[in-house]
Amino acid sequence: MTRALMSSALMTSAPVTSAPVIKGTRRAWRWLALALALTLLALPGLLPMPASAHETSLGVLELREVRQGAYMGRWTMEPAFGTARIDLRLPRQCFVQLPQVLCGKQGLVGPITVGNLGANMSAVMIRILPMTGEPHSYTLTSANPVATVMAAGAPTLGTWLDLAPTYINYGIDHILLGADHLLFVLGLIWIVRGGWRLAKTITAFTIGHSLALAAAAFGLIGVAERPLNACIALSIVFVAVEMVKDLRGQPGLTARYPWAVAGAFGLVHGIGFASALANLGLERNLLPPALLFFNIGVEIGQLGFVLLVLALIAAHRRLGAVLPAWGAVLPAYAIGTVSSFWFLGRLLRMLAAT
Amino acid sequence: MTPPTMTARPWLLALVLLLAPGLAEAHIIAARLGDFYTGALHPLTDPQDIVLWLALALFAGSLGPGRARWLVLLMPLGLLAGFLLQVTLGIGQIGALGAAGLMVGLGLLLASGLATGLAAGNRLFGGAVLLVTATSGASNAAGMAPEANATLFAAGLASAGYVVITLLLAAIVALRWPSTDTSGTAGWRAIVLRVCGSWIAAIGLMIGGFALKSLAGV
């Protein structure tokens, strides 16, 4: 029922051929290759190129606690363009007016970041010297833009709850900015087409990426980032090919065992999520709550995306806005082209780094 | 069989959620989520865009699903065309007075119920779509920060146009043309549309009045 509704909503009847599966798949790959080549030819003209010159600059900020919760800040190494333009962001309980930083009873605990890293500044090192206990240094770069400052001693429930908004928001941001993860989920929705099967498939993807995220965050598994990103792109290419096969009336692996495919690729995507969490420079005793809240954020973002796509499908159905027969395969080719472009780009970067 | 009021309820809820003021935080989003989401949320920070998009959706929806569905495609294309006109040639903006005029025009068409009966309905629909989408695209392009990535901003704007208009249209079509209307409730639905039209015309008059006042330097 749902399958039929989705089919009528988003596409007219798919051309079902009697050609063998292999022939159909080859044709799909040929079209994907052609679309990819066209995109590669067109992209240099469409995309703005990044500035070729990049000024490097390093700053070192020392924050010394002078009384409980009050710090005096001093740039021991000033960045080349001065300190006035640096967008320093400390935890929300802190009032910053350098050289003075007032954090109240909670102290300087929570995420610290510099908002404009990467534009003219490569890195900032922040040294925190508490009245008691060891000093800590945190290096912020555009690749690792956020560090989390821990209170002295074991984290309390209050510390954990303070972290919740930060890491839930970070998880939401990560999934909303992760076009590759969203495109994979879109491909799954397209093939599975709603109903309980979709609920089970998305749950399998969630379980897969949650397990992998936890395992990678605790150091049980480790995969280099570049090959992993290439694999994530390849998983979307796989889903795109499955979409084309499905349209040709040749249900692929995803159409037959969607939960298995979603779970397996969820493991790959989960390791990718973990690399984002690793970039935050978390201390180990903060990892469990951060992981939990980050995962909740990812799930909120993913659920929001799934609901939006389902709402749009229902809206198209209500309006009778359907793709013509010749355009039924366009979404699959669009997803395939973009993901192939990502895959090749990531592969080239991986090969260039070796 | 599901009563028509039951089918309209989820769409009304979607409409309310779409118009929730909590969404109007594009500039916070800019710092957090980049230029795509800035472009997507930018029109929702401007009451003129919100009212004009709603007016256009109501107008298209009142013409029936047959014409309304074209807006799903034309909305993002029109926004992109207006965006390009503004970015490349610096034209396309009509200002507050022009936007107010469009609101009054569309609002009166809805309030009078004339839109569905006009012989030149298609041309009127085409003209309204072209004017609203292109001018909205241009005004959003003009509001883009100089350092923003224009490609991502435009993609976000077009995506938002597509999503908002598709959901709005579906809600309005569900309200106006229930698939099984046996309860004789079609009357109040038409009244709802007319009332919305009169409000839109009133808002247009108010914005126009303010625009004239500022032009006159009063």
Side-chain angles (χ1 to χ4, degrees):
Chain A
M1 168 79 175
T2 314
R3 190 182 176 94
L5 286 172
M6 285 280 294
S7 181
S8 67
L10 293 171
M11 63 205 78
T12 51
S13 58
V16 179
T17 64
S18 57
V21 174
I22 295 171
K23 194 178 168 190
T25 312
R26 275 190 194 146
R27 200 181 301 156
W29 277 107
R30 269 207 300 274
W31 277 104
L32 266 179
L34 178 64
L36 178 67
L38 287 171
T39 310
L40 285 173
L41 283 172
L43 267 172
L46 292 173
L47 294 178
M49 293 292 117
S52 53
H54 184 81
E55 189 185 334
T56 56
S57 179
L58 175 73
V60 180
L61 175 65
E62 193 177 274
L63 293 169
R64 184 181 292 276
E65 194 174 19
V66 288
R67 60 175 192 280
Q68 195 192 355
Y71 297 77
M72 289 302 287
R74 185 173 68 94
W75 287 94
T76 54
M77 182 192 284
E78 287 200 8
F81 63 86
T83 56
R85 284 163 55 196
I86 292 174
D87 180 18
L88 177 70
R89 297 178 199 168
L90 296 182
R92 61 187 169 167
Q93 73 270 20
C94 295
F95 173 74
V96 184
Q97 195 169 38
L98 286 176
Q100 202 172 36
V101 176
L102 301 173
C103 298
K105 274 190 284 183
Q106 278 180 280
L108 183 44
V109 176
I112 53 172
T113 185
V114 171
N116 52 350
L117 275 174
N120 293 90
M121 184 162 50
S122 301
V124 168
M125 180 188 277
I126 297 181
R127 277 176 58 77
I128 297 174
L129 298 108
M131 284 196 301
T132 55
E134 292 294 307
H136 286 280
S137 295
Y138 305 88
T139 305
L140 308 175
T141 64
S142 51
N144 304 298
V146 185
T148 303
V149 182
M150 275 281 296
T156 61
L157 182 64
T159 318
W160 285 23
L161 291 177
D162 281 345
L163 290 175
T166 305
Y167 287 98
I168 288 176
N169 278 321
Y170 190 63
I172 295 172
D173 289 4
H174 184 73
I175 193 80
L176 290 183
L177 289 171
D180 45 2
H181 303 304
L182 294 180
L183 221 49
F184 182 81
V185 173
L186 180 65
L188 286 179
I189 298 172
W190 199 277
I191 293 172
V192 181
R193 298 174 176 138
W196 271 112
R197 280 187 92 219
L198 179 64
K200 282 189 268 186
T201 304
I202 295 296
T203 306
F205 183 63
T206 302
I207 291 170
H209 73 62
S210 300
L211 285 175
L213 172 60
F218 284 107
L220 300 175
I221 50 172
V223 181
E225 196 171 345
R226 288 175 199 272
L228 178 77
N229 284 337
C231 281
I232 289 174
L234 201 57
S235 73
I236 310 164
V237 178
F238 171 81
V239 168
V241 173
E242 294 275 281
M243 284 167 75
V244 175
K245 284 166 73 177
D246 198 45
L247 284 169
R248 293 193 169 143
Q250 304 152 357
L253 206 60
T254 315
R256 281 177 288 155
Y257 310 107
W259 55 270
V261 171
F265 282 121
L267 292 171
V268 179
H269 284 247
I271 303 171
F273 294 151
S275 65
L277 201 58
N279 286 341
L280 294 179
L282 277 167
E283 293 185 27
R284 197 165 175 81
N285 53 353
L286 267 190
L287 204 51
L291 185 67
L292 174 71
F293 295 131
F294 178 78
N295 210 16
I296 290 172
V298 167
E299 294 319 317
I300 291 170
Q302 186 177 288
L303 191 64
F305 178 73
V306 170
L307 289 177
L308 180 66
V309 172
L310 291 179
L312 284 171
I313 289 169
H316 273 266
R317 201 170 62 203
R318 169 67 67 176
L319 293 167
V322 297
L323 284 171
W326 57 265
V329 288
L330 281 180
Y333 283 120
I335 292 176
T337 306
V338 171
S339 53
S340 300
F341 175 72
W342 284 338
F343 172 65
L344 288 179
R346 291 170 184 188
L347 191 67
L348 288 175
R349 273 202 294 277
M350 186 181 86
L351 294 174
T354 52
Chain B
M1 189 174 288
T2 314
T5 45
M6 290 297 284
T7 58
R9 215 167 278 163
W11 295 109
L12 286 173
L13 180 65
L15 190 69
V16 170
L17 285 173
L18 270 174
L19 296 175
L23 289 174
E25 291 181 352
H27 296 288
I28 297 170
I29 292 291
R32 181 172 153 185
L33 288 174
D35 293 324
F36 177 86
Y37 289 98
T38 312
L41 290 182
H42 199 270
L44 302 180
T45 59
D46 186 349
Q48 281 180 34
D49 275 329
I50 294 173
V51 176
L52 273 177
W53 287 19
L54 180 63
L56 187 62
L58 284 166
F59 178 55
S62 72
L63 297 175
R67 282 185 196 159
R69 71 174 66 110
W70 282 102
L71 196 54
V72 172
L73 187 65
L74 293 176
M75 182 77 184
L77 291 179
L79 285 171
L80 285 177
F83 185 92
L84 279 175
L85 276 177
Q86 178 63 36
V87 169
T88 54
L89 303 172
I91 56 169
Q93 283 195 85
I94 53 170
L97 205 56
L102 276 175
M103 283 177 212
V104 173
L106 285 172
L108 287 179
L109 272 174
L110 280 166
S112 61
L114 274 175
T116 46
L118 285 178
N122 276 338
R123 267 174 287 168
L124 199 63
F125 175 59
V129 170
L130 184 71
L131 270 171
V132 172
T133 57
T135 56
S136 180
S139 71
N140 279 288
M144 181 176 65
E147 69 274 12
N149 181 322
T151 311
L152 285 177
F153 188 97
L157 177 65
S159 303
Y162 158 73
V163 169
V164 171
I165 218 71
T166 304
L167 295 179
L168 274 176
L169 281 176
I172 294 158
V173 165
L175 176 80
R176 188 77 179 88
W177 275 272
S179 51
T180 51
D181 189 0
T182 53
S183 59
T185 54
W188 71 260
R189 295 160 194 272
I191 291 170
V192 168
L193 278 184
R194 285 184 178 223
V195 168
C196 286
S198 67
W199 284 353
I200 288 165
I203 293 170
L205 281 174
M206 192 177 67
I207 292 176
F210 279 123
L212 281 174
K213 189 181 167 190
S214 63
L215 276 177
V218 181

